[in-house]
Amino acid sequence: MTLVINAKSAKLKAEGHDVVDFGAGEPHFPSPLHVKDAGIAAIEADFTKYTQVGGIPELRKAIVERHAKDFGSRYAVDEACFSTGGKQALFNAIQVIVDHGDEVIIPKPYWVSFKDIVQYAGGKCVFVETDESRNFAVSAEMIERAITPRTRAILLNSPNNPSGAVISPFDAQEIARLAHNRGIYMLADECYVYLNFTGVPYSLGSFHEGKEHIIVLGSLSKSYSMTGWRCGYSLAPKPITAAIQKLQSQSTSNPNAIAQKAAIAALNGPQDCVSEFKAEYLMLRDVVLKKIAEIPGLECTRPEGAFYVYPNVSKFLGKGGIKTAMDLSRKLLEEKYVITVPGEAFGTDQHIRISYAVKRADLERGLDRIREFLTAL
Ligand SMILES: Cc1ncc(COP(=O)(O)O)c(C=O)c1O
């Protein structure tokens, strides 16, 4: 689905059209200077050979120390595994945990890859519907209703891609407790954990009760604007981490050595970039919400994290030959040169996702075009 949109937008760009891209799920900032310098220094020092599969000890130490400092967690170095992006960390964890016929509970809307990765492991996704009435929040009761004897894991993503919803620490703790009591693993995709606007950032990894069942998947991609370096990690009980490393050793082996040095610089170096990026996203979130509020019929929850808004477009479906969110995204691209991602990609068919990790001027220009398009329907 997203590939169709990407192909179309590439064609329009090649034809010279001014395409505004709200589709990309990545920061618009360059990687921080000290991170880039560490990468260059690694090459110059010939740090270009194989390393330990789960990352060099200095890096694993940096991961657990950063996490402890920021969230109060208590992980040992051999409970951390560095991977080629948060996506590989997630993939590894799911392959290790989920077997054929196992069920994995996933709240909807979900990040595109969750479903495919679970299915690749032979697992079955059991979706839990969330909606705007509770700001896409998920609670322990909602999860409990979906548990069966085959439930192996619960996969949570907070702050959420695509909705920007944040699960409250109370709800997260309740869900973790429920999972632990039932012997179910809690997979916490915390790729956006530093982009939490609520003022109370937390990580499931800091919950000490039931830690045997908690697996945290982290990423440096969004917090340090390092998407292309491919830096992610897992924090999990020792036997799980050992299994993850075994799998990684037979697939990619160690993550890129140069990126490991850059990751150490990111984790141990000055953290001002993280708060600067967050402040910019917060400003952009308010811009996008204000612009959306000027479009009659377009309703949107107030995201508490990440850098996406997920407006409900149901009032426009059935107008101007547009039947689905996919049709709407396609027409926005063809007629207004604005890229959005249709909700079908995330398991809901009445929304579109707008990434506001773009320059303010682009955000305003693109939103103006969306307004012109929707008000003319
Ligand atoms: C929810 C979620 N998890 C994981 C990832 C993977 O990030 P990366 O592999 O770049 O660390 C992404 C990237 O968009 C994401 O949105």
Side-chain angles (χ1 to χ4, degrees):
M1 201 173 301
T2 46
L3 291 181
V4 175
I5 294 195
N6 287 347
K8 224 172 224 154
S9 72
K11 186 167 169 282
L12 290 169
K13 278 182 196 163
E15 287 167 7
H17 294 290
D18 169 30
V19 176
V20 179
D21 191 350
F22 292 155
E26 65 178 341
H28 55 301
F29 308 105
S31 302
L33 192 58
H34 64 283
V35 169
K36 294 195 280 196
D37 285 345
I40 292 165
I43 296 176
E44 285 177 349
D46 290 322
F47 193 75
T48 52
K49 302 289 173 68
Y50 291 135
T51 73
Q52 289 90 336
V53 168
I56 55 176
E58 187 190 358
L59 172 54
R60 295 168 77 185
K61 185 164 173 277
I63 292 168
V64 299
E65 286 182 357
R66 177 85 269 143
H67 207 268
K69 209 175 272 173
D70 294 342
F71 302 109
S73 61
R74 289 196 299 251
Y75 282 100
V77 167
D78 54 7
E79 291 177 309
C81 177
F82 189 72
S83 296
T84 302
K87 192 182 252 183
Q88 190 189 20
L90 178 74
F91 184 89
N92 285 343
I94 291 177
Q95 302 311 313
V96 160
I97 295 294
V98 177
D99 222 328
H100 284 255
D102 286 347
E103 292 178 359
V104 179
I105 297 176
I106 304 176
K108 254 189 197 181
Y110 50 78
W111 182 46
V112 242
S113 298
F114 290 169
K115 189 167 126 235
D116 292 334
I117 296 177
V118 167
Q119 287 173 350
Y120 184 76
K124 182 176 163 233
C125 301
V126 174
F127 297 111
V128 168
E129 305 282 339
T130 72
D131 60 34
E132 284 95 341
S133 66
R134 284 192 74 233
N135 228 356
F136 294 109
V138 62
S139 66
E141 296 85 73
M142 291 160 79
I143 297 287
E144 190 161 24
R145 282 197 291 271
I147 293 178
T148 76
R150 299 250 37 179
T151 307
R152 179 74 169 148
I154 300 164
L155 176 44
L156 295 187
N157 170 219
S158 173
N160 179 269
N161 175 8
S163 72
V166 170
I167 301 173
S168 74
F170 174 80
D171 283 327
Q173 178 88 72
E174 290 282 292
I175 297 169
R177 193 170 291 136
L178 169 70
H180 179 58
N181 290 340
R182 301 288 191 95
I184 295 168
Y185 285 102
M186 274 284 324
L187 295 157
D189 180 337
E190 300 194 345
C191 177
Y192 299 93
V193 74
Y194 287 95
L195 297 178
N196 179 328
F197 309 142
T198 63
V200 248
Y202 72 93
S203 163
L204 261 119
S206 63
F207 297 166
H208 302 303
E209 185 190 342
K211 207 175 149 194
E212 305 93 291
H213 286 105
I214 295 176
I215 301 172
V216 172
L217 293 326
S219 169
L220 277 66
S221 288
K222 323 284 172 162
S223 18
Y224 298 99
S225 199
M226 289 178 70
T227 45
W229 295 84
R230 312 308 301 127
C231 296
Y233 58 85
S234 52
L235 293 168
K238 250 182 244 177
I240 304 280
T241 299
I244 284 174
Q245 285 200 54
K246 197 170 171 189
L247 173 63
Q248 188 160 295
S249 77
Q250 299 302 356
S251 53
T252 56
S253 272
N254 66 271
N256 179 297
I258 301 151
Q260 290 189 48
K261 287 288 190 180
I264 292 171
L267 295 164
N268 288 350
Q271 300 297 299
D272 324 15
C273 54
V274 179
S275 40
E276 281 162 22
F277 294 161
K278 185 166 122 182
E280 171 93 359
Y281 292 131
L282 200 47
M283 180 277 290
L284 292 168
R285 180 200 66 174
D286 292 341
V287 169
V288 73
L289 287 179
K290 187 166 166 286
K291 296 292 266 181
I292 286 177
E294 288 165 6
I295 307 175
L298 190 62
E299 277 153 25
C300 190
T301 55
R302 188 165 173 274
E304 299 280 21
F307 43 60
Y308 309 103
V309 282
Y310 203 51
N312 187 310
V313 295
S314 54
K315 297 237 166 82
F316 302 94
L317 303 183
K319 291 186 179 176
I322 294 170
K323 293 198 187 74
T324 61
M326 181 70 196
D327 290 343
L328 182 62
S329 275
R330 192 167 39 227
K331 286 224 174 199
L332 272 173
L333 177 59
E334 287 167 356
E335 296 183 20
K336 293 289 176 186
Y337 310 129
V338 177
I339 304 177
T340 56
V341 184
E344 285 93 334
F346 309 103
T348 74
D349 54 9
Q350 311 234 308
H351 303 85
I352 56 170
R353 189 192 76 176
I354 294 172
S355 164
Y356 56 83
V358 294
K359 293 198 180 93
R360 181 176 179 155
D362 294 338
L363 189 60
E364 291 181 339
R365 192 165 79 259
L367 261 303
D368 284 342
R369 290 190 203 166
I370 294 178
R371 179 173 39 77
E372 282 163 24
F373 178 80
L374 292 177
T375 49
L377 277 178

